[in-house]
Structure formats: structure tokens, C-alpha cells
Amino acid sequence: MDTGITARLDRIGSDGRYVIVPMDHGITLGAVKGLKDIESTIGAVTRGGADAVLTQKGIASRVHDHKNDAGYIVHLNASTVIGPDSNDKRMTGTVQEAIAAGADAVSLHLNVGSNYEPKQITDLAEVCDTASKFGIPVLAMSYARGPGIDEHDAESLGHAVRLAEELGADVVKTAYSGDPESFEHVVESTRLPVVIAGGAPEGDKATLEAVRGAMDAGGAGVSIGRSVFQHDDPEAIARAVSGVVHDDLSAEDALDEAGLSVEV
């Protein structure tokens, strides 16, 4: 099924680079800004250049008519911020359900170093095994999160991305370590394409500088949610992120070409 995986990776990226906008936060955070009218947001970010969008399976019917031929990823586990522990990601779907929902790929979240790591390792291994039989790529969102762990430590992030490769994922997402020099270790820890998460919004320039740093370190792109879908102009910020990932623009040039003001 390598042919199927390769073909579908081309649907969620371009030339081995990825601009993915996850919008599965409705379970985690609720119907926050950008997610109430998710149809409009999906239309905006894909017009701006997002290669793929990502949701839970129940939102699939709200995705397809608005994604402008971009790829579609279905996320397979979740937790909430009001539950007992947001690190405790529980399964919310299967590979087969994702295929039925029209997905080009599936994704799964792991918190490496948390109390829930053993079950999440098992979940990822099982998802990768099933997905490979159907030629479906797996995006592993593999973070270093747990008691006493620095979520941006390059050594821990390197371990997290290597774990994803060892279990059979095709692309891995993790946190940015903060600078290109340390992030090189993360990228070199795996043969998988490494994309960075966005986290809580910190401003357009900070977001794009992190993307630029990750790309300079050998990263393969981004999977950024809130900094894109909660932006006042989701289409413009998606265009700016795509400019850095796909056109090798600087943060400043990407902002300028997207019509966004350069913060001072």
C-alpha cells in the first residue's frame, strides 16, 4: 500500500512540505472563535494556501464543500480542558470511519512522558497497522508532555518524534524548540517529515518566525490551528504561513505579501 500512502500524502501536502490547519479544537475548547462558522473558516484558510484541514469525524459533512480541493485529515482521539486531565486523550474514531468520512489521512495525539503514554503508544501502533492496510497516511502529533518535562526541550522532542517513526507514522508533528539550532536535533532524530505545532497565539510575526526557524532547521512545514483559524483574517495568515513553507519567504516578506502589517 505504499503507493496509496504516497498518493494521499500528495493530497495533504506539496513536494514534501505541509501547511495543515487543525480545527479539532471543538472537543478540546468548545465552539471558540473561528469554529462556530467552521465552513467559512475552512474556505478562508484553504483559499489562503493551506494544503489540508483537520477535524474530528463528526464535522466531515461541514468540510468537503468548503475546502477548495485541499486535503482532509480526520483526528482520532481527544480530551477536553474541563475534564480531569487534558493529557488523557481517548479514542474518538477509527481508520475505517475516517475513510468513510472522506479522509485522505488520519492523525493521533500522544503525550510522551505523561501518565497516559503507554495507552497512547498502543493506540498509535494499532492505528498505524490498520492505516497501512488501507494505504492511509498517519500524522502523529507527538509531544513531550508530562510531570517535570519541558515541552520545548529538544532532547525530549527528539525522543517524541523518533517514537512516532518507530511505531509506523508517516508524518510527525511536535512543538518547536525555540530556535533553529536546537530544532536541528529534533529533525535529525527521525527520517519522517517533521511539522511544528503553533500553540497559543503570540502574534503574527512570532508565529512566522517560528515557522521560518523550523524550516531553516530542516522541518517540513506546520500544523498550526489557533494562530490561523482564530486570526482576524484567516485567509491572509494562511497565505503568509504558506509563503514561508512553500516559497521560502522570510517572516517579514510573508507578512508583506499577505497584506498583514509587520509588527514592531
Side-chain angles (χ1 to χ4, degrees):
M1 286 294 183
D2 287 350
T3 301
I5 290 174
T6 300
R8 292 181 177 93
L9 285 173
D10 286 342
R11 298 177 194 170
I12 65 168
S14 177
D15 296 325
R17 292 188 172 188
Y18 303 86
V19 176
I20 299 166
V21 180
M23 287 179 272
D24 59 315
H25 301 65
I27 287 183
T28 310
L29 302 174
V32 295
K33 176 184 176 182
L35 296 185
K36 289 181 180 178
D37 182 7
I38 196 171
E39 293 89 343
S40 293
T41 306
I42 289 168
V45 302
T46 53
R47 286 193 304 271
D51 296 304
V53 295
L54 177 154
T55 75
Q56 292 279 344
K57 64 184 182 185
I59 304 295
S61 63
R62 302 176 65 178
V63 172
H64 292 291
D65 289 342
H66 306 279
K67 65 183 180 65
N68 296 303
D69 294 323
Y72 180 44
I73 304 170
V74 168
H75 197 55
L76 298 182
N77 64 353
S79 63
T80 75
V81 295
I82 60 175
D85 191 336
S86 60
N87 282 338
D88 186 9
K89 303 290 182 180
R90 300 297 180 100
M91 296 300 294
T92 56
T94 65
V95 173
Q96 292 92 327
E97 287 172 329
I99 294 169
D104 301 302
V106 296
S107 62
L108 199 79
H109 182 126
L110 296 90
N111 292 309
V112 179
S114 76
N115 294 329
Y116 310 102
E117 175 197 288
K119 178 62 167 63
Q120 290 166 3
I121 286 176
T122 300
D123 289 342
L124 179 60
E126 292 175 351
V127 164
C128 289
D129 179 61
T130 302
S132 68
K133 295 173 182 175
F134 290 96
I136 300 294
V138 177
L139 165 63
M141 301 184 181
S142 193
Y143 298 94
R145 291 181 181 170
I149 293 177
D150 177 356
E151 296 184 11
H152 299 280
D153 173 65
E155 291 293 332
S156 299
L157 295 173
H159 190 166
V161 299
R162 182 53 178 258
L163 180 150
E165 180 181 5
E166 298 276 348
L167 294 177
D170 301 287
V171 182
V172 60
K173 167 182 177 177
T174 199
Y176 182 52
S177 57
D179 59 79
E181 293 74 22
S182 63
F183 201 67
E184 283 185 7
H185 168 74
V186 182
V187 173
E188 290 170 355
S189 296
T190 178
R191 294 288 181 91
L192 297 182
V194 179
V195 300
I196 64 164
E202 295 183 356
D204 298 347
K205 187 176 180 182
T207 295
L208 293 173
E209 286 177 341
V211 178
R212 182 68 267 162
M215 299 303 293
D216 289 343
V222 303
S223 175
I224 294 180
R226 287 171 288 172
S227 292
V228 175
F229 73 72
Q230 290 193 313
H231 196 277
D232 290 338
D233 191 340
E235 182 173 347
I237 191 64
R239 183 170 293 111
V241 172
S242 181
V244 176
V245 173
H246 289 303
D247 300 325
D248 284 325
L249 297 181
S250 68
E252 292 79 7
D253 287 347
L255 287 168
D256 183 61
E257 291 202 7
L260 296 168
S261 59
V262 178
E263 301 154 356
V264 295

